[in-house]
Amino acid sequence: MRKWILLLLLCCISGVGWGQEKDNLDKSLFSIGFKNDTIYAEKSSKEEYITIPLKVNIGDPKDWRGYNLKVEIDPTNTSMSPMDYKLLASNFDFTALNDDKIINILLKIDTIEDRNRYIVVNLKTLKDEKIDVEKRNISSNKKVVILVKTKQKNTENQIINDYNFLSYMGTNFDIVEGKTKPKNLFFAMNIFIPPVTKKNKVGFYFSLYGNRTMSDIDSTGNVRRTYKLESIDEASHTRYTSQNKMITNRVSDNVGAYISPVFKIIESSNKNLNLYYSPSLEFIWRKSSTITQFEDPTNLEKDTINTPISGTIVMDDLTQSVQNEYVFNLGVAGILLVYETNSFSFRVQSSVGYSSYFYPSNSLTFNGQTKVGRTNDIFFSGRSWITEASTGLTLQAEIMNTSRNPRPFFGITLSKAFKLNELGSIFKPITSR
């Protein structure tokens, strides 16, 4: 009987020990992971925070002194540059963990458009900051993938601001010949900073450009000219004449710089429409060419002239003269009208003021240098630009004239607009694009 009682006591004692061992085994496990395996985020024009909630089950936190959780970015599987984000905290004691705990990642301002990226975040558990206890973490969600979409320019104001820093490259319409000539390059760079707040009462407009303008076109069909002289003998020669159509074209190739402060003068209920007062200063280096051409010869005649010449002389059907001018325009009365939407930009600019022309004269000074002449006048100028948003195609027209000595200059250009930071890609080798 005593043997049975002793055996029963031994079994009870063994059962208690086995139960304590089982309890110790359960307390040696914990569960720390992410609540979600995927998080969606989007970059914008300002810094944003991504919050990543944790799912924590560790029982009594006091039992886990010396244990800590490390949050790590997986660089191998992360496509976003480390310069574009910042993990704000990465090391936590178990004693500070609960279901309200979140991980924060700062997304910095996006500088590159049209690309989606992702960040992979892993959890690692340690004891005394060096012993890996990851096998004791029974959570099934120890990794989270953050899918980051690029910023989207959806607002109208963001699109309108894109028109303010543009460069243009294209060609002039050669109105004289009725066709475009790719060799007549047009380029421009425009910077427009409008006064948009009460504190910023003054904006400015700056333009650097190169274009071709037409000054004058003359055509007449009643010109008699000598087109060839041919020697007969030592005492005479034959003169050949014809009736011709004479066309005179005056064109100018210009390189100019224009700057203007702008002051808003009308507060329109339509936020897309603005009118500014814009006095201006403009410098133009103008290379003016006068081209005379004789066409459609009729009424051919020849006669003998009793004057000797040597050989045969053929007159050119086309002659050209070139003159450089340097122009300073001070626009006192000027306006700038701007209407811009997410579809197109339309600007009209006009100015009236004082003009000063400098040009080399035909006479020489005592030391052989060419004299520089100067003419003062009152000028008028007008320019208009229209740019389509999706393609960047831009049509521009301008006219300039003076009052006392009228010399109209007018031109039309077709170009493509580029953002200033994209202009360099045009000159890259084709293989690197």
Side-chain angles (χ1 to χ4, degrees):
M1 186 66 179
R2 292 179 178 177
K3 292 181 179 181
W4 287 103
I5 294 173
L6 182 60
L7 182 61
L8 181 61
L9 290 174
L10 290 173
C11 289
C12 290
I13 293 172
S14 299
V16 171
W18 178 83
Q20 290 176 347
E21 183 179 354
K22 183 176 183 298
D23 289 342
N24 289 337
L25 180 63
D26 290 342
K27 289 182 179 179
S28 69
L29 303 177
F30 56 87
S31 177
I32 303 175
F34 297 106
K35 286 187 177 181
N36 307 295
D37 57 6
T38 305
I39 293 177
Y40 297 93
E42 182 175 340
K43 277 199 158 192
S44 67
S45 57
K46 60 181 181 179
E47 293 184 339
E48 301 283 352
Y49 289 90
I50 301 175
T51 58
I52 310 172
L54 295 179
K55 188 175 182 179
V56 179
N57 185 5
I58 59 174
D60 189 351
K62 296 179 181 178
D63 297 335
W64 300 100
R65 289 190 174 91
Y67 288 78
N68 61 299
L69 172 70
K70 294 195 71 174
V71 182
E72 297 179 338
I73 305 294
D74 185 351
T76 304
N77 297 314
T78 295
S79 64
M80 180 176 285
S81 168
M83 299 182 65
D84 287 341
Y85 66 87
K86 181 180 181 181
L87 181 63
L88 298 186
S90 61
N91 201 338
F92 305 91
D93 290 336
F94 273 29
T95 55
L97 295 179
N98 54 54
D99 265 352
D100 295 328
K101 194 66 180 178
I102 60 174
I103 307 299
N104 290 297
I105 293 180
L106 174 66
L107 279 182
K108 299 180 181 180
I109 297 174
D110 201 0
T111 56
I112 304 178
E113 303 173 16
D114 301 329
R115 60 195 174 115
N116 296 326
R117 291 144 296 166
Y118 49 89
I119 305 171
V120 177
V121 184
N122 294 325
L123 295 180
K124 188 175 182 180
T125 49
L126 301 171
K127 182 180 180 182
D128 299 328
E129 297 187 355
K130 59 182 179 180
I131 302 174
D132 189 348
V133 293
E134 191 60 32
K135 292 182 179 180
R136 298 168 65 180
N137 187 0
I138 62 174
S139 173
S140 60
N141 195 17
K142 304 174 188 176
K143 180 179 76 172
V144 64
V145 178
I146 306 171
L147 300 178
V148 184
K149 295 180 65 177
T150 188
K151 66 178 179 179
Q152 302 295 325
K153 291 192 172 185
N154 294 324
T155 64
E156 187 170 310
N157 287 337
Q158 287 175 324
I159 295 174
I160 289 176
N161 288 338
D162 286 346
Y163 299 120
N164 294 342
F165 301 90
L166 291 178
S167 53
Y168 306 82
M169 189 166 294
T171 183
N172 298 273
F173 282 107
D174 195 336
I175 301 176
V176 174
E177 297 186 11
K179 59 182 179 180
T180 59
K181 283 188 175 182
K183 67 178 182 180
N184 296 333
L185 176 68
F186 165 76
F187 70 88
M189 179 185 70
N190 292 347
I191 298 176
F192 177 44
I193 306 296
V196 292
T197 64
K198 292 182 180 180
K199 294 182 180 180
N200 181 22
K201 295 182 179 179
V202 182
F204 79 91
Y205 184 92
F206 173 79
S207 180
L208 183 67
Y209 63 88
N211 66 356
R212 167 168 286 195
T213 56
M214 273 60 68
S215 173
D216 190 62
I217 307 171
D218 277 339
S219 178
T220 178
N222 191 26
V223 175
R224 194 80 188 175
R225 67 180 287 263
T226 298
Y227 65 88
K228 186 170 69 170
L229 299 175
E230 188 175 51
S231 176
I232 299 175
D233 52 34
E234 295 181 355
S236 62
H237 68 273
T238 303
R239 180 178 63 185
Y240 296 87
T241 60
S242 62
Q243 196 78 18
N244 294 266
K245 178 182 179 181
M246 185 177 71
I247 300 175
T248 303
N249 300 327
R250 298 178 181 88
V251 298
S252 297
D253 293 306
N254 313 288
V255 176
Y258 178 101
I259 188 169
S260 168
V262 293
F263 307 85
K264 184 177 286 189
I265 56 178
I266 290 183
E267 290 288 345
S268 173
S269 58
N270 186 342
K271 63 180 180 180
N272 298 325
L273 178 65
N274 292 283
L275 183 65
Y276 305 94
Y277 168 63
S278 58
S280 62
L281 179 64
E282 183 175 21
F283 166 75
I284 306 171
W285 172 34
R286 180 177 291 150
K287 182 179 178 181
S288 297
S289 301
T290 301
I291 303 171
T292 302
Q293 190 169 3
F294 298 93
E295 297 181 350
D296 303 330
T298 58
N299 299 326
L300 304 180
E301 295 181 358
K302 64 179 182 178
D303 57 308
T304 301
I305 306 297
N306 295 322
T307 304
I309 65 169
S310 177
T312 301
I313 302 174
V314 179
M315 309 300 178
D316 290 334
D317 292 333
L318 186 147
T319 60
Q320 180 177 4
S321 61
V322 179
Q323 178 174 292
N324 289 307
E325 301 177 26
Y326 306 93
V327 184
F328 293 87
N329 290 335
L330 177 62
V332 179
I335 60 169
L336 173 63
L337 176 68
V338 179
Y339 184 81
E340 292 175 333
T341 69
N342 58 351
S343 299
F344 68 94
S345 168
F346 176 67
R347 295 175 182 174
V348 177
Q349 186 180 65
S350 65
S351 186
V352 178
Y354 172 81
S355 179
S356 186
Y357 286 75
F358 296 86
Y359 54 90
S361 66
N362 294 326
S363 58
L364 301 177
T365 61
F366 68 92
N367 59 358
Q369 298 294 322
T370 302
K371 288 184 177 179
V372 176
R374 176 178 176 178
T375 301
N376 300 323
D377 213 326
I378 303 298
F379 82 95
F380 162 81
S381 68
R383 294 184 176 95
S384 63
W385 302 70
I386 182 166
T387 300
E388 199 275 329
S390 60
T391 63
L393 288 179
T394 301
L395 186 65
Q396 186 246 350
E398 72 168 281
I399 184 170
M400 183 179 296
N401 201 358
T402 49
S403 176
R404 288 185 300 177
N405 301 297
R407 294 182 63 200
F409 297 92
F410 55 93
I412 300 176
T413 62
L414 180 65
S415 61
K416 179 173 175 59
F418 299 89
K419 295 179 183 178
L420 292 182
N421 59 359
E422 296 175 351
L423 187 60
S425 63
I426 299 174
F427 304 101
K428 289 182 179 179
I430 294 177
T431 53
S432 65
R433 295 180 187 174

